[in-house]
Amino acid sequence: MSLKRKLQSLIWLVVAAFCLPAFGQTYQTPPSAIADLVNAPNTPSVRFSKDGDWMMLLESAGNPTIAELAQPELRIAGMRINPATSGPSRSRSVENIKIRMTKSGEEIQIKSLPENPAMGGFALSKDEKYLAFTNTEAKGISLWVVDMVTFTAKKLTDPILNDVMGNVMTWTPENQILIKANNPDRGSIPEEPAAPAGPVIQETSGDAAPSRTYQDLLSNPYDEQLFAYFMDTQLMLVDLDGNKKAVGPKAMIKSFDLSPDGSYLLVEIIKQPFSYLVPASRFPYDVEIWSKEGQKVKTFAQIPLDEVRPTGFDATVTGPRSINWRADKPAVLYWVEAQDGGDGKVEMEEREIVYTLAAPFSGSKQKLATTSLRFGGISWSTDDFAILNERWFGARREIRSVINPSNPAQEKRVIIDRSYDDIYNDPGSPMYTENEFGENVLLRKGDLIFMTSEGGSPEGSMPFLSTFNTKTKEQEILWRSEAPFYERVVKVLDDEGTEFITLKESTDIQPNYWLVNTKRRIAPQQVTAFAHPYESIKGINKQLVKYKRKDGLDLSAVIYTPEGFTPGEDAPLPVLMWAYPREYKSAEIASQVRGSKYRFTRLSWGSPIYWVTQGYAIMDQTEMPIVGEGDKEPNDYFIEQLVANAEAAIDHIVELGIGDRNRIGVGGHSYGAFMTANLLSHTDLFAAGIARSGAYNRTLTPFGFQYEQRSYWEAPEVYFNMSPFSFAHKVKTPLLMVHGEADNNSGTFPIQSERYYNALKGHGATAKLVFLPHESHGYAAKESILHTLYEMDSWLEKYVKNKNKIEPSR
């Protein structure tokens, strides 16, 4: 074990010994009714062929064990690397592949798959005759291919692929596979020196470099050596017989992308100096254009270290960014360059310029379009039609415009200008199809583009398929989901929008795929028949409820109650309220109903719905909007609006005859944990709280957090008042805290929970802190998940369900 790993283990042991009681340090399991739901089989994920004639059914493995999660892990440069495989240390894999014919329903098992499979990276060849995938073995990642005629898999390479950063493979038009492999000559892992050569020194020369609180950064010269070693890669071309040929020089390859016609490669190569302040994604790199044989055609750009940039969520870097191939052309690059120095506070009419450069890349860049907001991407179609997207966080605004790439001088035509938070008036997102290059382009018929929308409404979401006329801006709805189902279009099969595949579900009906034909007026045909994984909760009650905050703002939530429970007749139930705050710039938009009462009751590892099996009412997706209109920021009103939201939710569930006012627990994950701690600091509304993987001291995230753009020095009172740590002395309600010991989410590092627990303990609060070994921001190991549910169940049982029912109402 390396010195770094030994130190990490030692730190964990010290934290565990300090924070945990002397008992109960083995993994526990919740009641069987909860554990059985956790262990329910996974539903396969689905990928459709180009024309929708068949689909891949990808059957995923269950949760890993804690022993698997405890395998050696390298945490450097903002990444989590498995040193044994030169791949990610935390990823879910697929263990089986089947093919299902859409119309006939015939199902075919892929033969000769790897033993003990851990498959991923699935990619179809351009002609769909072959399927490539990766398989993670004990000592590396290998490349496999499936013949889609015989449905037989075979291994093409030894475990040589490198999946540390960026993409790992892509098909060429000639049905060969370009892979990123470990440099065959990189040797063995650098040995950690027995003693450091000197101190670790960082220095700033006066340029402001505000930065988020990133985790797992480089911290010393040995970390730099490890990073360079695991990034040391070689592109290789592999044919269907497994023959390999090196392409281009060995380098620290960040990513590579083949031009649509397969003639050129766009390659990003990381270079020094590395940084101890930002992750690898912001290290300096060169953008090079290579021929398909690997010869350098041009150094397109040299991107400097990205440590210094303006503050705010609308800030960006200077110089070229978002460098990509046009999807509608054989080999044309496009990119954007900020004209405001990357500073969103600078007022400019032409804030950004989009440029293009065509092969052979020897000419001058051509101006394609300008934006008044930040560039948000381009949806390509043909040489005379594309849609330019712009977004601005500060105003929650998006603009979509039609541009004519063949005539950049032609003025762009704005077709959509709206708040992207406004779900009631969301026209939707474009549907795509594949062109002759196998690239995704707009599904379009003249001036009409096909769109799918969530279909937000006061009654909840009812998704729809439509055409949007880009000249008249009129939208025609072709099909809409109908109660009591939640159904959405996932693939359109014809150019009229009359035949398509939907994913259809209802409260107790597992999502399944259906073939719909509106022109022939025949009954929809069910394509898949995935079984209901949670038979034990099939009869629970679910309702979408709406109510008002004391200032008149409309709120909503989804309430679950046990099977057979009748409000007003049966005794009120203990309640678990689960929520996650959201910030808005408009009270009208904040009032909109989100979600649908017809969605399938899907359980994830972090769901609160498990406790409906234990006799609780669950108030899930409880809206907690924080509104700041005009020049006011939402967080200026965070505490008062948060409390008002909670009071309104409690009043409503009590008035419905469902909840017992004296037995209501509140909980949340991440920002929901932050919310929970604040509610316990500033109210006595709840019987208990549960806070998972939260942040509690905002001065530890001084350059902004969540949707707060101001720094601590710009708004110190906001940072103080929003920090539960500042009010630990006021907490009188029992609080359970759970945190992954290896949390690498920006801002929610484990010390947040450790210090907050110490503050609560120091002021005599009733609190418990559970650190989960090897777990990150979300929890993965089966033992960790079951133990978390055990802790939550025990806490709720003690402090909510069995709280004195005759305690006077507050």
Side-chain angles (χ1 to χ4, degrees), residues 6 84 132 161 225 234 344 356 395 521 528 550 561 693 765 777 783:
K6 289 178 181 177
L161 275 65
Q225 293 177 40
Q234 169 74 66
T356 64
R521 299 186 182 279
T528 60
K550 62 183 179 182
T561 53
S693 300
H777 192 59
E783 293 90 338

Side-chain angles (χ1 to χ4, degrees), residues 310-417:
T311 58
F313 295 124
D314 289 312
T316 189
V317 297
T318 57
R321 74 176 198 278
S322 300
I323 306 166
N324 291 290
W325 297 107
R326 277 181 58 169
D328 63 329
K329 287 290 187 179
V332 177
L333 288 172
Y334 73 100
W335 69 97
V336 65
E337 296 182 18
Q339 305 300 298
D340 57 6
D343 190 349
K345 299 180 182 68
V346 175
E347 296 292 335
M348 293 192 71
E349 189 172 329
E350 291 190 352
R351 188 173 293 278
E352 310 213 296
I353 300 178
V354 183
Y355 294 102
T356 64
L357 183 64
F361 314 106
S362 55
S364 300
K365 63 185 182 183
Q366 301 297 308
K367 183 177 178 179
L368 176 65
T370 63
T371 70
S372 59
L373 312 181
R374 286 282 176 241
F375 174 74
I378 296 178
S379 299
W380 298 98
S381 179
T382 56
D383 196 33
D384 63 350
F385 191 100
I387 294 179
L388 171 68
N389 301 294
E390 310 171 44
R391 288 172 75 89
W392 196 253
F393 172 83
R396 311 302 197 268
R397 183 184 176 196
E398 70 165 346
I399 299 176
R400 288 184 250 178
S401 307
V402 171
I403 59 173
N404 182 348
S406 65
N407 183 11
Q410 182 176 320
E411 187 176 357
K412 65 184 181 184
R413 189 169 73 253
V414 175
I415 58 173
I416 295 169
D417 187 345

